[in-house]
Amino acid sequence: MMEGNIPNSGSQMPNENNSEISMIVGTTALVLLLPTSVIALFELLDLIEYGDFKWISYSIIFSLTIISILLISGLYLVRLINSENTKRSLGIYLIALSGMNLLLRFRELNDSFYRDDGWGGGISWFEFMQIPRIYEQLELAFLGILIGALIMKK
C-alpha cells in the first residue's frame, strides 16, 4: 500500500533536465523571431522596390517558412502548445508551407537548368546544388517538414 506513495526520484530527474534544456532552446527560438522578421521585412522592401511580383510572392513564402519554423518550434518547446489538435494542425501547416517552399526551390532549380547562360546552355543541377545558398535553402525546407512531422507525432 505504501508503494504507491513513494515517488520515483530517478525518473523525475531526466525529465526536469530535459525540460530546462527545451525551455532554453524554445526561448532562444522565440527570441530569434525578432531579427529574422526584421531581415525578412528588409528583404521584402528591397524586392518591392525592384518590382518583380514573382519574387515578392516567393520572398513572402520563404520568410513565412523561416518565421513559422521558429515560432511553432519555440512555442512547442516552451510547452505553450498542449492540445493534440493544435499540434496536429500546426504540424500540417508547417509541412504544407515547407513543402510549398521546397517546390518553389525546385522550380527555381529547374528554371536555372533551362536558362541559357550565353555559352550554349544553363548550369547543370549538380552545379546548381553545390551553391551554398541553394542547398542551405533546400535543407531549411526539409527541416520544416521534419519539424512539422515531429510536432504531429508527439
Side-chain angles (χ1 to χ4, degrees), residues 52-76:
D52 188 6
F53 180 74
K54 176 180 130 180
W55 283 105
I56 291 171
S57 59
Y58 282 12
S59 175
I60 290 171
I61 292 170
F62 298 156
S63 298
L64 191 59
T65 302
I66 296 169
I67 291 169
S68 295
I69 288 171
L70 286 172
L71 179 65
I72 292 170
S73 60
L75 291 175
Y76 176 76

Side-chain angles (χ1 to χ4, degrees), residues 69 102 132-145:
I69 288 171
L102 190 63
R133 175 182 70 85
I134 302 302
Y135 69 77
E136 289 170 355
Q137 294 167 349
L138 292 174
E139 288 171 354
L140 178 71
F142 281 119
L143 180 66
I145 293 170

Side-chain angles (χ1 to χ4, degrees), residues 63-95:
S63 298
L64 191 59
T65 302
I66 296 169
I67 291 169
S68 295
I69 288 171
L70 286 172
L71 179 65
I72 292 170
S73 60
L75 291 175
Y76 176 76
L77 290 171
V78 177
R79 308 274 193 261
L80 293 177
I81 301 174
N82 296 323
S83 164
E84 289 300 319
N85 288 335
T86 307
K87 289 178 186 177
R88 192 170 295 120
S89 300
L90 291 175
I92 290 171
Y93 165 76
L94 202 53
I95 290 171

